[in-house]
Every structure is written in structure tokens, then in C-alpha cells.
Amino acid sequence: MFQSDLFEATPLALVDDAESGIRYLPDIVPQATAQAWFEQTLANVTWGNQRRLMYEREVDVPRLMAHFSLDAAELPEPLMEAAEQVRSIAGTPFNSVGLNLYRDGNDSVAPHNDKTQGLVQKAPIAILSLGATRRMTIRAKSGKGRTLNVDLHPGSVIVMSYASQFTHNHGIPKMSGVEGPRISLAFRCVDLQRLDTRVKNATKSLVSASNP
């Protein structure tokens, strides 16, 4: 069954857990605003490409990326406006945003869970979609149950609990017939104290290694 056939203007619970689970919220941002934000983000953000090892050879990551602290003095428009909207919807003080630019249907991200190291425990992750509609797959890591296929329309938000990152994988597969690029804005709560501790520990290790 094609999941997005069920998605009207009502939030839909996809996965239940002891926290907020995984919820799809359509039409959070009006279409005209979503289109304006898409055009601004595409033009104003400096996009970077990364490479990774796959089968013992280095390949391009099949999408472009960027990342910003929401505490930065100068954020490209419309990131702060979008952050305030998503903060209000999720009831969460997000302080970080990671962006992905899927240039066409060939760009993708394999099934994965978000890395929780450095994140505030129990704080959700919220992903705002802009541009072309792309499908997200969600599947339990246990392999039980069916794969959920969710069309992420522009202006929609999908909210995933911290707990769901330990139980489910999500991804954006390659897809034919995609009309134009899509941008995702993934808002997270970074635990700055834990991050500082990790940096300090890494620095101590480097100092110890350089002073045998």
C-alpha cells in the first residue's frame, strides 16, 4: 500500500515508542512560503560535496550538504525563519541544522539512523522538506513488519524521536520521474557540553601521543 495516499492535512503517527515516535506532519509551511524558502536556500547556502570509501574505493556521496549552528552570527536566509517555525511545531529548542540537496532522482541516502553521539538525549529530530517531493523509507532494524513509504511533500515536517534512532532506519532511495531538486533541513539539539567534553578528551589524547 502506498502510504502517502493516507496523508491528508492531519498529522499521522508512523512509529510509536515511549517518546514521540515518528510522525508525519503535512502542510506545516504554506506552499508559497515553502517555494520561497526553497529558492532562497538553494541560492544562499554554499553547498559542499563529500567523498566516502565504498568497496575499497573512494566515491562521491550522492547529494550535496551543508551544516550550520543556529547560534551563528550570520545565517543564510531563510534558515532562522524556518528554524523558528519548526521549533514551534515540535516544541523543541533546536540549535543545529544539517542540510541535504538532492539534485535529482539519482541523489539518495541509504537506510540509516541518525548518529546520537553529541545529541541531547530524548530530544527529537525534525526534518523540513522543500522543493520536489521525495519518498522516505522507514523500516524497523529488527526486520519485523513492513517498510513504510512516505512521500515528503514540500512544506511538510517529519519528526523522529531520539529513541527511534535505535529501533528504525530511514533513507531516501533513488527515484525515477523526480521533477527538480529537493532540499531537506534536519533540525537537531546538539549537546554542547558533551561536545566540549569530547573535544577536550580528543585534545588530551593528541597531547599525550605527542609527549611519549
Side-chain angles (χ1 to χ4, degrees), residues 26-179:
D27 301 323
I28 293 301
V29 178
Q31 289 301 299
T33 301
Q35 180 60 29
W37 285 0
F38 168 77
E39 294 172 1
Q40 288 177 308
T41 306
L42 186 64
N44 295 342
V45 169
T46 300
W47 299 96
N49 61 333
Q50 297 184 8
R51 295 179 66 80
R52 66 182 180 191
L53 286 175
M54 179 179 287
Y55 304 117
E56 299 183 352
R57 66 189 183 95
E58 197 174 64
V59 298
D60 287 330
V61 171
R63 62 193 179 281
L64 302 181
M65 291 177 279
H67 178 268
F68 297 92
S69 167
L70 294 175
D71 296 328
E74 296 184 7
L75 281 174
E77 292 184 357
L79 298 188
M80 182 52 70
E81 186 179 1
E84 290 173 349
Q85 176 88 347
V86 177
R87 282 169 172 167
S88 175
I89 293 300
T92 304
F94 298 112
N95 60 8
S96 172
V97 60
L99 297 90
N100 285 306
L101 169 57
Y102 300 86
R103 295 160 290 188
D104 54 35
N106 291 314
D107 278 358
S108 62
V109 60
H112 67 288
N113 64 267
D114 279 28
K115 296 179 180 177
T116 55
Q117 291 182 342
L119 297 184
V120 174
Q121 294 184 11
K122 297 188 177 182
I125 298 158
I127 301 173
L128 169 65
S129 292
L130 303 173
T133 297
R134 289 294 298 266
R135 184 169 302 168
M136 173 180 279
T137 61
I138 302 171
R139 185 165 177 80
K141 293 185 180 184
S142 65
K144 297 179 180 179
R146 59 195 176 98
T147 299
L148 299 175
N149 296 308
V150 185
D151 266 15
L152 304 180
H153 295 282
S156 69
V157 174
I158 191 161
V159 182
M160 303 184 293
S161 69
Y162 181 91
S164 71
Q165 304 310 305
F166 298 94
T167 60
H168 288 73
N169 286 326
H170 60 278
I172 303 290
K174 293 182 180 181
M175 187 176 179
S176 61
V178 174
E179 297 182 0

Side-chain angles (χ1 to χ4, degrees), residues 165-202:
Q165 304 310 305
F166 298 94
T167 60
H168 288 73
N169 286 326
H170 60 278
I172 303 290
K174 293 182 180 181
M175 187 176 179
S176 61
V178 174
E179 297 182 0
R182 169 189 180 252
I183 295 173
S184 67
L185 287 74
F187 294 94
R188 301 179 177 90
C189 291
V190 174
D191 188 331
L192 299 177
Q193 185 173 359
R194 289 175 64 190
L195 192 62
D196 287 344
T197 300
R198 289 172 60 193
V199 170
K200 289 176 182 177
N201 289 340

